[in-house]
Amino acid sequence: MGTTLQQHQEIAAFLRNAISRKEFAPGEPLPSESELCERFHSSRGPVRQAMATLRSEGLISSGRGRRTIVLDTVPTQSFDGVISYSEWCRQSGFEPGQVTQSVTRRPADEALAAALDIEPKSPVVSVFRLRLLNGVPAMVERLNYPLDVGRHLLTFDTDSGSIYQHLISSGVDIDNATRTIDAVGADADDARLLEVAEGTPLLRVRRRAFSSNGNTIESSDDRYLPGTASFTLNTIRGNPSPLSMVSAR
């Protein structure tokens, strides 16, 4: 069942998408509060809440007695939006979906054991899902967890929604994550689920998530169709960058 957006989320999604499409370019003003109230048949409260959301994402100026100006076309994201596909979709104004292919408990091979910082053959829980964007195939998701984390998924309906939110609700401590982004050719499973030819270039995002005490709690491999997602990072000279570029060789 889809999630109905609250009015302030609907307004924020409309403006975010319009800014992304450059209907409002950097330096240009947004519609006034009264214009947005009229467009969405809204009171000022939801409009102001939507504008506050866009300010927190770095998309617009603070206003303060003057027309609000567009600052950038790419929003910053919350941690939830970075690590959760479902939350990323909702923040972007899209409807997430999923079709689970398998949920298995199995022994970790050497590569997965190394990624999760556990002993080889230790039990892990692996989830393999096709992710949808407004009902259309967009990404193939391979998630792996040590058993003490993954056990929460063995009785969870992984077609019902966000695994990330379910783990958080189950008390799992997800504190920080790293992402490695590259390109990979679609394998047979990717090709079948994404309805493309084998070898089609896909955007691959490999993620490792950690608890606040440094324990590795997830190793994932997400493969996006071209044109589904892009990654933007703003850096400032003289300040450390969260981006590292390393040789793939």
Side-chain angles (χ1 to χ4, degrees):
M1 181 179 296
T3 300
T4 302
L5 294 178
Q6 297 184 34
Q7 191 169 38
H8 70 92
Q9 293 173 314
E10 179 186 358
I11 297 169
F14 165 80
L15 292 173
R16 191 184 294 114
N17 290 337
I19 291 169
S20 176
R21 294 191 299 268
K22 295 185 173 59
E23 293 177 16
F24 303 110
E28 294 182 353
L30 285 182
S32 66
E33 282 187 6
S34 59
E35 289 170 332
L36 290 171
C37 288
E38 182 177 355
R39 181 184 185 100
F40 288 94
H41 307 289
S42 169
S43 64
R44 289 187 181 268
V47 169
R48 290 174 177 171
Q49 192 172 355
M51 301 293 262
T53 297
L54 297 187
R55 282 195 296 273
S56 72
E57 295 174 354
L59 285 175
I60 63 175
S61 67
S62 59
R64 296 183 181 178
R66 60 186 185 277
R67 290 293 290 268
T68 300
I69 301 298
V70 175
L71 298 178
D72 202 348
T73 58
V74 180
T76 59
Q77 291 179 310
S78 66
F79 179 76
D80 289 353
V82 167
I83 201 170
S84 169
Y85 176 86
S86 295
E87 186 61 26
W88 170 73
C89 284
R90 294 190 182 103
Q91 289 180 6
S92 302
F94 301 113
E95 182 66 26
Q98 52 280 319
V99 181
T100 301
Q101 307 300 303
S102 64
V103 179
T104 57
R105 172 176 169 169
R106 62 188 178 95
D109 60 24
E110 290 192 6
L112 181 55
L116 290 173
D117 291 324
I118 57 178
E119 292 296 321
K121 299 185 180 180
S122 297
V124 297
V125 175
S126 298
V127 180
F128 181 36
R129 295 195 296 181
L130 171 66
R131 302 309 304 266
L132 308 176
L133 188 71
N134 285 346
V136 177
M139 184 261 280
V140 173
E141 179 179 65
R142 296 168 172 87
L143 308 173
N144 301 284
Y145 304 93
L147 182 59
D148 61 336
V149 175
R151 63 184 176 85
H152 298 290
L153 304 178
L154 294 175
T155 56
F156 174 62
D157 178 5
T158 52
D159 278 345
S160 67
S162 172
I163 285 176
Y164 169 72
Q165 291 299 335
H166 177 69
L167 292 177
I168 291 291
S169 299
S170 300
V172 176
D173 173 22
I174 304 176
D175 181 75
N176 61 91
T178 63
R179 292 193 291 183
T180 301
I181 303 167
D182 60 7
V184 65
D187 67 16
D189 288 330
D190 299 329
R192 173 176 57 84
L193 294 171
L194 295 173
E195 301 173 6
V196 296
E198 285 191 48
T200 297
L202 303 176
L203 178 68
R204 179 171 65 172
V205 182
R206 288 173 288 171
R207 183 178 62 247
R208 298 178 73 210
F210 305 89
S211 66
S212 55
N213 62 8
N215 290 332
T216 307
I217 56 178
E218 180 192 76
S219 175
S220 70
D221 180 317
D222 299 339
R223 302 182 183 190
Y224 292 83
L225 279 173
T228 300
S230 61
F231 291 81
T232 298
L233 181 71
N234 294 321
T235 58
I236 301 174
R237 186 175 182 182
N239 292 327
S241 169
L243 175 69
S244 296
M245 185 165 63
V246 298
S247 171
R249 295 184 177 181

